[in-house]
Structures are given as structure tokens and as C-alpha cells.
């Protein structure tokens, strides 16, 4: 495994892990996560693919120098900078959560030309809900709820626990119960979140909440895998169905019992489905 650092077009240093060889696959992690989240997929994929696992700017414990307030448009541009650096004309791109939003922003800004296949994992194209859209977070994440959460994030010393509550106190009853018991998994996650610099993470979060990619879905012109957890912390089956119905070449795969990370619940299955997508089978 290689750890490389490249310069984005604004001078920011981007950190990437490289594994395997073959057809390149770009793996974009979720908000407050890092390249390490993809570890369970290295073994099933790296034998036939070159895996590129960047840390999104503001993530992975890397301090920022070019800007302290990045947004999703900057994250999308970083994707293009990365592909240009490695001289990759077209890539298989997988986005989980924030990674999916980053790819949708990339398609809005740059089109589908740099992607041969796409996979989106457990994400809604619009996080905020309103009177006519219930497909966002929890089905009832309106602007007032969103502002209360931002206030919690910005309250001194409260960022880590506010992120944990966002994940735990949603639609997945098991997550709620284990959080309230403070099980070891939550203690490990709490410790990992302490490496996140809140200011850039909050700036990114605000841009994600402000985004609406419903109009981007019909413009996706390549074979697409959609992986959703039936027990997602954030989204109902209706959200998954909406994305599937509005993405022209989408294959929807529902993971029974899985939470917001279905690819980590069944990494072998996800790797097999992604390989089938790439092979056209």
C-alpha cells in the first residue's frame, strides 16, 4: 500500500492511499470519516483493481493550509485534480454518504465524462426535507432541525458528541440502543472523531445540507450501482426507490438489516456487485 500526497489546484495537499493494480476504482468516504473506512474492501477488490482512497480535505487528520472553509464544490474539484494528476481518463467511482454527494456535485460541475461506472451508497440527493420532499435525513430534517444541529456542532466542545447523536438517534433502533449503552464501537468512533478539525468539517456540512442534486440524477449516463441499507440510520426505502427511479441506468441493491454502511456489513457482496457492474454482467 502506498501513501501519496498531491497538490490540488489551490495548493492544498491531498492525501491518497493506493492499493492493488488493474482497472482504477476511486473510493470516496463519508463525512467525518477517512480512507481507512474502505479497509474491508481492499482484499476483495485489490486483486483486479487499482484502488485510490483519498482523504477528503478537512478529513483524515490532515491540517488545511489553503482554506479553512471548504465546501462540496471544492471536494468535487479535488476529484478532478486527483484524476488529472494520475492521468486517469475515466474511472469507476464509488461514493458513500458525503462521497456520493461529492460525485453528484462533480457530475453537475464537470459532467459524466470522467466516469465509466458509478456507485452510490446510502445517500439522498437532498438532505433537507420540506412540505413536498420527505426523502432527506430521518424523513423530517427541515431547516429548523438543520439549524439546531449546526448550533450543536458549533457549541464549544460539543462537536464530537453532536456528530455521534446525528448518527445514533435516527431511524436505526439498534444504533440508538448501543449508543445509549456506550458500547465499545461508539467509544472507538468517539475517539476517532477527536482527530477532526470542527471548523472545516462544519463548513463542508453546511454546503451538503444546502445542496439539492435531484436534477443531477437524470443526467447520469453510465451504469450505476445503488447500495442502501434496509435499516439505514438516515433514509427510508422510499429514498432509495426515488434515486433508483430517477437514475437512468441504476441497479438498486437493498441490504437487509444493514445500517448506513451496507458495503461494510457485507463487503464481499458489495465487491461482487461492483465487479458485476464493471464487467457488464
Amino acid at each position: 500500500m502506498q501513501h501519496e500526497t498531491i497538490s490540488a489546484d489551490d495548493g492544498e495537499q491531498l492525501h491518497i492511499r493506493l492499493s492493488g493494480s488493474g482497472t482504477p476504482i476511486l473510493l470516496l468516504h463519508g463525512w467525518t470519516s477517512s480512507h481507512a473506512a474502505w479497509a474491508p474492501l481492499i482484499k476483495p477488490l485489490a486483486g483486479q483493481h487499482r484502488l485510490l482512497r483519498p482523504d477528503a480535505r478537512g478529513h483524515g487528520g490532515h491540517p488545511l493550509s489553503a482554506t479553512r472553509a471548504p465546501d462540496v464544490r471544492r471536494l468535487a474539484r479535488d476529484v478532478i485534480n486527483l484524476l488529472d494528476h494520475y492521468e486517469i481518463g475515466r474511472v469507476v467511482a464509488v461514493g458513500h454518504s458525503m462521497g456520493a454527494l461529492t460525485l453528484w456535485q462533480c457530475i453537475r460541475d464537470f459532467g459524466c465524462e470522467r466516469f465509466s461506472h458509478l456507485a452510490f451508497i446510502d445517500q439522498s440527493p437532498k438532505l433537507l426535507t420540506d412540505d413536498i420532499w420527505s426523502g432527506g435525513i430521518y424523513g423530517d430534517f427541515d431547516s429548523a432541525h438543520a439549524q439546531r444541529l449546526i448550533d450543536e456542532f458549533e457549541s464549544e466542545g460539543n462537536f464530537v458528541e453532536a456528530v455521534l447523536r446525528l448518527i445514533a438517534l435516527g431511524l436505526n433502533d439498534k444504533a440508538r440502543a448501543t449508543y445509549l449503552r456506550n458500547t465499545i464501537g461508539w467509544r472507538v468512533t468517539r475517539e476517532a472523531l477527536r482527530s477532526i478539525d470542527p471548523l472545516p468539517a462544519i463548513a463542508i456540512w453546511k454546503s451538503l445540507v444546502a445542496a439539492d442534486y435531484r436534477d443531477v440524477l437524470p443526467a447520469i449516463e453510465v451504469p450505476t450501482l445503488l447500495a442502501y441499507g434496509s435499516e439505514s440510520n438516515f433514509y427510508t426505502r422510499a429514498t432509495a426507490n426515488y434515486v433508483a427511479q430517477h437514475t437512468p441506468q441504476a441497479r438498486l441493491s437493498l441490504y437487509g438489516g444493514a445500517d448506513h454502511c451496507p458495503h461494510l456489513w457485507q463487503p464481499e457482496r458489495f465487491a461482487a456487485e461492483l465487479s458485476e457492474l464493471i464487467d457488464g454482467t
Side-chain angles (χ1 to χ4, degrees), residues 243-257:
V243 177
Q245 291 163 5
H246 290 81
T247 306
Q249 300 184 52
R251 308 179 189 179
L252 175 59
S253 185
L254 191 68
Y255 287 62

Side-chain angles (χ1 to χ4, degrees), residues 193-230:
L193 285 170
R194 298 189 197 284
S195 69
I196 297 288
D197 183 349
L199 185 63
I202 294 168
I204 291 170
W205 173 261
K206 289 177 179 178
S207 74
L208 300 177
V209 169
D212 182 353
Y213 299 112
R214 287 176 294 179
D215 64 319
V216 172
L217 303 183
I220 296 174
E221 302 168 343
V222 299
T224 303
L225 173 64
L226 306 174
Y228 283 79
S230 70

Side-chain angles (χ1 to χ4, degrees), residues 47-66:
Q48 293 182 300
H49 301 281
R50 184 188 190 198
L51 305 182
L52 298 90
R53 297 179 297 140
D55 286 326
R57 66 169 67 200
H59 293 71
H62 308 296
L64 297 179
S65 58

Side-chain angles (χ1 to χ4, degrees), residues 57-78:
R57 66 169 67 200
H59 293 71
H62 308 296
L64 297 179
S65 58
T67 175
R68 294 278 291 150
D71 59 19
V72 67
R73 292 190 66 187
R74 182 61 252 185
L75 299 186
R77 191 166 186 85
D78 288 345

